[in-house]
């Protein structure tokens, strides 16, 4: 199941980021078993205005280059 939620604070402007999160659910538990952040962006546009600084300061997502 995919959800969109507020995430961690942007390292450049401290605005809460927006995240698309994939949650692995189980029929035996009411809570997600695992969460993977698929996408993250800053509502203030820091990810587009300063892409190099954004990539250097924000934590890597699954599939990002190290």
């Amino acid at each position: 199941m995919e959800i969109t939620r507020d995430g961690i604070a942007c390292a450049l402007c401290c605005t809460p980021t927006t995240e698309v999160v994939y949650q692995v659910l189980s029929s035996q538990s009411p809570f997600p078993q695992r969460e993977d952040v698929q996408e993250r962006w800053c509502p203030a546009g820091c990810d587009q205005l300063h892409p190099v600084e954004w990539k250097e300061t924000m934590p890597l997502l699954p599939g990002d280059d190290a």
Side-chain angles (χ1 to χ4, degrees):
M1 173 171 86
E2 279 192 0
I3 63 167
T4 302
R5 68 178 183 200
D6 287 341
I8 62 174
C10 173
L12 302 178
C13 72
C14 297
T15 302
T17 59
T18 303
E19 299 177 338
V20 174
V21 180
Y22 178 74
Q23 294 183 326
V24 177
L25 304 175
S26 169
S27 61
Q28 285 115 21
S29 172
F31 302 104
Q33 299 301 303
R34 188 178 79 240
E35 292 187 341
D36 291 323
V37 179
Q38 301 294 310
E39 189 177 352
R40 178 184 296 133
W41 64 92
C42 177
C46 294
D47 56 319
Q48 295 184 359
L49 295 172
H50 310 286
V52 174
E53 293 88 350
W54 169 269
K55 189 169 182 165
E56 290 173 354
T57 58
M58 294 302 290
L60 294 176
L61 298 175
D64 284 350
D65 297 337

